[in-house]
């Protein structure tokens, strides 16, 4: 019974940590900030490439 209680307590702590992290990401809109940074990096890479124009 003690092993079950320890495993259950660890599971509850894990779920609590995940919920807190997701709330922080949602509250400060961090996912959009990270994606905005990533888009800027990708655009900076592709803006440097020369494009072959057919016209």
């Amino acid at each position: 019974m003690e092993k079950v209680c320890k495993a259950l307590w660890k599971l509850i702590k894990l779920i609590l940590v995940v919920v807190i992290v997701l709330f922080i990401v949602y509250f400060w809109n961090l996912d959009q900030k990270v994606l905005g940074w990533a888009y800027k990096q990708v655009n900076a890479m592709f803006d440097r490439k020369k494009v072959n124009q057919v016209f």
Side-chain angles (χ1 to χ4, degrees), residues 12-54:
I12 290 171
K13 287 194 300 189
L14 178 67
I15 290 172
L16 185 64
V17 167
V18 168
V19 168
I20 289 171
V21 168
L22 288 175
F23 178 76
I24 290 170
V25 167
Y26 169 77
F27 187 75
W28 278 301
N29 205 15
L30 295 177
D31 55 338
Q32 293 297 317
K33 291 178 183 176
V34 169
L35 281 177
W37 176 83
Y39 284 143
K40 285 180 187 176
Q41 300 305 314
V42 169
N43 285 334
M45 281 187 271
F46 284 104
D47 286 345
R48 284 184 266 156
K49 287 187 171 183
K50 292 185 179 181
V51 177
N52 294 332
Q53 293 193 359
V54 180

